[in-house]
Amino acid sequence: MCGIVGYIGSKDCVPLLINSLKRLEYRGYDSAGLGVISNGESQVIKRKGKVSVLEKDLDQITLKQPNLGIAHTRWATHGVPNEVNAHPHFNTDKSLFVIHNGIIENYLTIRKGLQSLGYDFITDTDSEVIPQLIDSFLKKGYALVKAVHLALSKIEGTYGLAIVYANEPDKLIAARKGSPLVIGVGNNENFVASDVSAIIAHTKHVVYLEDGEIAEIYKDKFYTRTLDEEIIDKEVHKITMTLDEIDKGGYDHFMLKEIMEQPLSVCNSMRGRLIADKGTSKLGGLEAVEDKLVQSKRIVLSACGTSWHAALAGEYMLEQHTRIQTEVEYASEFRYRNPIISPDDVMFFISQSGETADTLAALREAKIRGALVLGICNVVGSSIPRETHAGVYTHAGPEIGVASTKAFTSQLVILALITLNLARKRNMSLIDGKNIVKEMDLLPKKIEQILKLNEQIEEIAEEFKDAENFLYLGRGYNFPVALEGALKLKEISYIHAEGYPAAEMKHGPIALIEEKLPSIFIAPQDSTYEKIITNIQEVKARKGRVIAIASESDKNIDSLVDFSIKIPETIRMLMPILSVIPLQLLAYHIAVKKGLNVDQPRNLAKSVTVE
Ligand code: F6R
C-alpha cells in the first residue's frame, strides 16, 4: 500500500522516478507526488489521481538536472485523496521532503506538541508530523541522520520512509518499521523502493531493510543502522526477476495477461517438485521441518482475501488426504480472539505479496505462542518468508493486476504438493500418490484448454454485465471457488456478489432468487454432483437464471441451465485450479464491458500493508 521510490546519483532523476513510480502504481493510485533537489534547491509537485496526471505537469519542475529525489503513489488512510494530502510532505520552508507508507498512531499527540512550538499543519494526514518533527530536531542543530533517529524514537506506528533534505544533498535516508523497503545498489547511483519491480530496470542488486533499520544512502555507498544507531552489515541479494515479467506483454490489462499465463505459472509452481516414480513431491524449503510436519496433530492455515480462499481449499485437501486436523483462520481476526495455539501446532501463512500487514501480525502472534510457522508466498525476499521458520515459494512470477489470479492457482498447487508429500509419508498408497502426480502433470494442458473458452465467456459476460447482484454456489472443494469467483466480480466490476455453499442456499439466500439474479453454479461431475443438480433445479423453479461451470463430459446439464461452460475434469482436490479460471475470465470481461479499470479497481491496492 502506497508506493515509494527514491534516487541518488548523477542522472536527472525526474523521468527515472516517474517510470519507477508507474511500476508501483498497483500499490495505490489515488494521488502521486515528487520531491527533488538540485544544488541545494528543492522543488515539490503533487497531483490528485494517477501517476499519469502528475506526469502531464512535470514541465513545472524548473530545477536543472535534479539528481536526488523521492516519489510516491498513495493509497489514502488519513485524509481524503487530494493534492494537499498527497506525498511528499515537507517542513515549512520546503527544504525537507518525506514520503511515508504506514500509519503513525500517535500523530495527534505529536502534532499538538509541535503546534505548541509554533508549527502549522496544512494536511489532514498522519504523515505530515514526520517532516515537522524532524525539522524540530534540525532546528536544534542536529544533522539529518541524527534528527531522523530522534524523530523516529518518538513515533509509534508503522512506516516505510524516504527522506531528502536540501541542506544535506549528498544523502537519501530510508527507514522501515512494518512497511517494506529495499535499497537498490547501482553503479555510482543508489535507489530505494517499496519493492524491486520499481528499480529492476536500473539494478539487480538489492538490500532488504528489516524492521527497525535506518539506511543512510549516498550515491556510492550506504550505511544501515538500528534505531539505537548500531551499524549493521547487510547482505546484497541478486534478483532474478526480469523487466519482461512485469510488462503487459501485448495484453490490454495485467489481469488478462496473468490469467492467460496460468498454464506456465502453474507449471513453474510444480517445476522440479513432483517425483513421478515415487508418487510424491519434494519441497526443498520444508525439508528441515518435515518430521514435525508429518507428525503434527493440527495444522492451521492463515491468510487474507484470495489467499484465504486458497487456504480453505487447502484445509479440504489436507483433511481428505493426510487426516491431520486442519483449520483455517482469517489472519485479520486471528489476534483478536485469544486463539488456542500451542508449540505442537504448525501454522502456514499464505500470501502473494508476503507483506500483508494482517498476515504478518498473525504470524508474529503464532511465533510468540511457540508454533512452527511456515510460509507459502510468491514474492521472493518479502517479509513473511523472512520471518517464518521455513516455507515454499509459489514461483507464479510477478502479479501486478490488483485482482489476484495466477497467484491463487499457484497457491492451490503448492497446497496440493504439501498434501501429497505429507499424505505419502503418512497413509497414502503409492498408486494413489502416482495418480495425483499424473493429474498434476496434466493441469497446464487442461488450463490451456479452458483458456480457449475465452470468447464464449466474453459472450456470457455481455449477457449478464448489467446484473446488479450475483450468487456463486458450490459444494465441497467448489465452495472456496464460489467465494473466489464472487470476490473477483466484486472487486473489479463493483457488482455485489455472494459466494455460498450450494446446500446453504435453501437456508436463506433462496429468498433472493428471481429473474434478475443470476446464479453461477460450480458443478463438475464429482461426488456432490447429484445434489448440486437439485440446487440448480430449485433456482430454475423460481425463474432464476443459471450459468454452470460443468464437466466437459456432462451432456445433461445443458437442458437445465441457461449457459454452461464446459471444462476438463481432474481429481476433486485439483478441481479448484481448473474451475476458478472461467470465473476469473467472466469477472474480467464484465468489468471491461462496464468500462472499468480492471488493473486498478477503486479503493483497492495490491499489497495491503496496513492493519
Ligand atoms: C483479491 C486480492 C486480495 C488479496 C489479499 C491478501 O484479488 O488480491 O484479497 O488476496 O489482500 O494479499 P496477499 O496474498 O498478498 O497476502
Side-chain angles (χ1 to χ4, degrees):
M1 249 166 198
C2 296
I4 292 179
V5 61
Y7 174 82
I8 182 160
S10 312
K11 295 180 187 145
D12 177 355
C13 66
V14 174
L16 189 152
L17 287 172
I18 287 293
N19 286 334
S20 297
L21 208 53
K22 282 184 188 160
R23 298 203 184 279
L24 290 178
E25 237 185 336
Y26 69 89
R27 302 179 67 90
Y29 32 80
D30 61 44
S31 51
L34 183 77
V36 288
I37 288 173
S38 173
N39 293 324
E41 280 187 64
S42 55
Q43 206 170 354
V44 59
I45 173 166
K46 315 199 244 185
R47 290 293 177 266
K48 176 172 189 274
K50 297 188 192 307
V51 176
S52 54
V53 179
L54 177 72
E55 192 177 20
K56 282 197 198 107
D57 288 341
L58 287 179
D59 52 4
Q60 294 186 13
I61 295 189
T62 50
L63 284 187
K64 292 271 166 295
Q65 283 279 110
N67 48 23
L68 172 64
I70 52 179
H72 187 260
T73 176
R74 180 169 186 243
W75 186 87
T77 58
H78 293 61
V80 295
N82 62 21
E83 205 165 298
V84 175
N85 289 335
H87 298 225
H89 295 292
F90 36 76
N91 60 348
T92 315
D93 69 7
K94 294 191 184 165
S95 57
L96 176 77
F97 296 142
V98 172
I99 270 169
H100 170 223
N101 171 21
I103 293 177
I104 306 302
E105 284 158 12
N106 60 341
Y107 80 102
L108 284 173
T109 319
I110 296 176
R111 187 149 83 173
K112 264 195 202 135
L114 289 167
Q115 278 166 334
S116 69
L117 296 175
Y119 280 89
D120 285 334
F121 286 82
I122 55 173
T123 79
D124 307 317
T125 67
D126 54 333
S127 310
E128 194 186 4
V129 298
I130 307 170
Q132 301 286 42
L133 187 59
I134 297 171
D135 182 88
S136 71
F137 290 110
L138 291 170
K139 293 245 158 57
K140 286 184 183 152
Y142 291 105
L144 179 63
V145 176
K146 183 70 186 174
V148 171
H149 273 276
L150 288 167
L152 293 186
S153 70
K154 303 227 171 293
I155 280 173
E156 285 162 23
T158 54
Y159 49 78
L161 291 172
I163 303 163
V164 291
Y165 183 35
N167 297 350
E168 294 187 41
D170 60 337
K171 61 178 80 76
L172 162 65
I173 308 289
R176 170 187 169 147
K177 188 174 157 217
S179 302
L181 272 187
V182 291
I183 302 171
V185 184
N187 191 4
N188 217 26
E189 59 183 3
N190 286 318
F191 307 81
V192 63
S194 301
D195 74 47
V196 292
S197 64
I199 50 177
I200 52 166
H202 307 285
T203 179
K204 296 249 172 200
H205 295 98
V206 300
V207 171
Y208 296 102
L209 276 190
E210 300 293 342
D211 277 353
E213 290 181 355
I214 301 182
E216 184 184 340
I217 306 165
Y218 298 82
K219 69 177 183 181
D220 52 357
K221 60 187 174 193
F222 66 91
Y223 304 103
T224 40
R225 294 190 180 84
T226 62
L227 286 176
D228 300 326
E229 299 185 48
E230 271 173 42
I231 290 263
I232 7 175
D233 280 336
K234 301 287 293 181
E235 192 184 338
V236 179
H237 297 262
K238 178 131 199 283
I239 45 175
T240 51
M241 190 191 288
T242 63
L243 258 188
D244 290 351
E245 283 180 293
I246 54 169
D247 280 341
K248 278 194 204 146
Y251 286 97
D252 289 342
H253 299 100
F254 281 112
M255 183 178 176
L256 185 59
K257 177 189 173 220
E258 287 156 8
I259 293 172
M260 294 297 177
E261 267 171 4
Q262 287 175 107
L264 180 64
S265 53
V266 157
C267 192
N268 285 341
S269 300
M270 295 189 291
R271 196 180 299 283
R273 289 170 165 172
L274 285 173
I275 309 175
D277 59 335
K278 296 208 167 77
T280 188
S281 68
K282 179 177 151 56
L283 293 155
L286 294 182
E287 268 167 14
V289 295
E290 217 166 74
D291 289 348
K292 174 143 190 194
L293 248 177
V294 175
Q295 283 151 25
S296 60
K297 298 262 180 305
R298 182 168 173 250
I299 295 178
V300 182
L301 308 170
S302 187
C304 295
T306 288
S307 300
W308 187 89
H309 298 154
L312 189 59
E315 177 189 21
Y316 293 16
M317 294 181 195
L318 285 162
E319 287 201 340
Q320 183 192 351
H321 293 290
T322 70
R323 306 305 298 145
I324 301 174
Q325 184 197 341
T326 308
E327 285 163 30
V328 183
E329 290 276 359
Y330 279 110
S332 50
E333 280 293 309
F334 184 67
R335 291 186 309 151
Y336 302 111
R337 53 171 193 70
N338 199 5
I340 300 171
I341 293 292
S342 74
D344 290 337
D345 292 328
V346 175
M347 278 198 79
F348 276 96
F349 293 89
I350 307 173
S351 172
Q352 187 287 127
S353 62
E355 299 293 352
T356 300
D358 288 318
T359 312
L360 254 175
L363 185 169
R364 289 173 185 154
E365 180 73 32
K367 236 176 164 178
I368 291 169
R369 289 170 189 249
L372 175 68
V373 297
L374 307 173
I376 300 176
C377 290
N378 193 34
V379 177
V380 175
S382 55
S383 299
I384 292 175
R386 281 185 291 129
E387 293 200 25
T388 40
H389 296 122
V392 189
Y393 281 118
T394 48
H395 294 315
E399 189 179 69
I400 311 284
V402 165
S404 185
T405 52
K406 64 175 182 171
F408 177 69
T409 44
S410 284
Q411 289 165 345
L412 293 173
V413 165
I414 300 300
L415 286 159
L417 289 171
I418 293 171
T419 302
L420 174 61
N421 187 289
L422 294 187
R424 283 285 293 122
K425 292 205 170 80
R426 286 169 64 95
N427 48 6
M428 185 183 274
S429 69
L430 176 63
I431 294 184
D432 287 350
K434 280 188 169 176
N435 188 43
I436 293 180
V437 171
K438 185 190 91 201
E439 287 296 335
M440 291 193 80
D441 257 338
L442 291 171
L443 286 172
K445 277 265 160 305
K446 291 183 180 175
I447 296 173
E448 268 171 29
Q449 205 180 318
I450 298 170
L451 293 172
K452 290 196 183 125
L453 302 174
N454 190 27
E455 267 179 41
Q456 185 209 351
I457 296 170
E458 191 176 347
E459 282 163 23
I460 298 175
E462 179 64 35
E463 181 76 23
F464 289 96
K465 68 178 193 306
D466 298 319
E468 287 174 6
N469 297 286
F470 271 83
L471 263 185
Y472 285 71
L473 300 156
R475 282 176 187 249
Y477 279 104
N478 295 309
F479 167 49
V481 178
L483 292 176
E484 177 58 9
L487 178 63
K488 287 289 88 88
L489 188 71
K490 274 186 269 214
E491 62 186 339
I492 59 170
S493 71
Y494 318 143
I495 295 173
H496 171 248
E498 270 191 65
Y500 235 78
E504 280 292 309
M505 182 185 70
K506 57 187 175 298
H507 299 289
I510 197 162
L512 297 169
I513 304 290
E514 43 99 17
E515 274 162 79
K516 286 196 191 129
L517 178 82
S519 299
I520 301 187
F521 280 87
I522 301 111
Q525 278 177 319
D526 60 18
S527 56
T528 66
Y529 180 71
E530 300 302 334
K531 294 220 162 70
I532 213 150
I533 291 294
T534 308
N535 299 139
I536 290 176
Q537 273 159 341
E538 287 159 3
V539 170
K540 289 309 298 173
R542 287 157 184 84
K543 298 202 166 49
R545 300 180 81 198
V546 172
I547 305 165
I549 312 297
S551 301
E552 59 187 353
S553 59
D554 187 349
K555 303 279 176 273
N556 300 326
I557 205 159
D558 297 335
S559 60
L560 299 175
V561 302
D562 298 273
F563 293 90
S564 69
I565 300 170
K566 299 287 185 63
I567 61 171
E569 281 152 68
T570 181
I571 52 173
R572 280 171 65 204
M573 164 172 106
L574 302 178
M575 206 58 214
I577 299 171
L578 302 182
S579 56
V580 75
I581 291 170
L583 303 183
Q584 297 170 341
L585 283 169
L586 185 67
Y588 171 79
H589 286 300
I590 290 180
V592 170
K593 284 179 188 300
K594 290 176 92 68
L596 299 169
N597 184 343
V598 293
D599 282 336
Q600 295 173 344
R602 74 179 176 210
N603 306 340
L604 291 175
K606 183 77 184 154
S607 178
V608 186
T609 55
V610 290
E611 277 181 65

